[in-house]
Amino acid sequence: VFDPPTTFLAGYHMGRYAAEAKVEAYWVSQDYDYERFLNSSSVDGLDYAFILLTEPIGLKVGHFQVHELSADEIELAVARDWETVTQAGYSGDSEYQLTAHIGCLIVDYYNDNTISHECDTLPGDSGSPIFVQRDGGYEVIALDSAVYGGARPNNIAVDSRAFAADLRRFVEKYDSVAAAMPPPPPTLLAGGG
């Protein structure tokens, strides 16, 4: 429980939004350590969280499915022979409006369930979804996480291999709680921003 209550705004753009709901609960991996994240890449694959909203606003505004990447799909993405990848978020230079990079590239992947990508991201984009359009819907395949500097910046995202199973457990936990309560059931929105 948050005190004061935290509000999630869906479809936020220049002070307007499509729906809102209070955040009722959240989950962060017990192995995630913010100080280690700031000082090393050792916990990059754990940089994700889930929130539970008090209202099922996904029924009104829609939601993303999460697609758990397979090893073959990651190989195809790096070889630029897979689906078109898009990133959308609220970057620091445009924090009040959603911006997207359609057709960005996944350039590498790592054993800690992270990927390197060339989507145009800045501080503020952290947590934003990287997704593909498949079978008539949008599916999250990664969440933007960090940028490591250098001659060629290295954008890192936590890919769905890291969080898909944890998300299923989170949803199952709250679906079972919701089933025992009067409607409406809680809704999770995948993605950040």
Side-chain angles (χ1 to χ4, degrees), residues 17-18 36 75 81 90 106 154 165 168:
Y17 48 89
R36 280 178 54 206
E75 290 281 350
D81 195 23
Y90 294 88
I106 295 172
N154 188 15
R168 280 192 296 274

Side-chain angles (χ1 to χ4, degrees), residues 125-143:
D125 278 309
S126 296
S128 64
I130 296 174
F131 57 92
V132 295
Q133 185 175 7
R134 292 170 27 107
D135 302 326
Y138 294 94
E139 299 178 350
V140 174
I141 59 166
L143 300 172

Side-chain angles (χ1 to χ4, degrees), residues 124-172:
D125 278 309
S126 296
S128 64
I130 296 174
F131 57 92
V132 295
Q133 185 175 7
R134 292 170 27 107
D135 302 326
Y138 294 94
E139 299 178 350
V140 174
I141 59 166
L143 300 172
D144 188 57
S145 175
V147 175
Y148 294 111
R152 182 173 177 172
N154 188 15
N155 298 327
I156 297 295
V158 181
D159 75 63
S160 57
R161 297 172 299 165
F163 59 82
D166 286 336
L167 179 59
R168 280 192 296 274
R169 285 189 289 275
F170 184 80
V171 170
E172 287 168 3

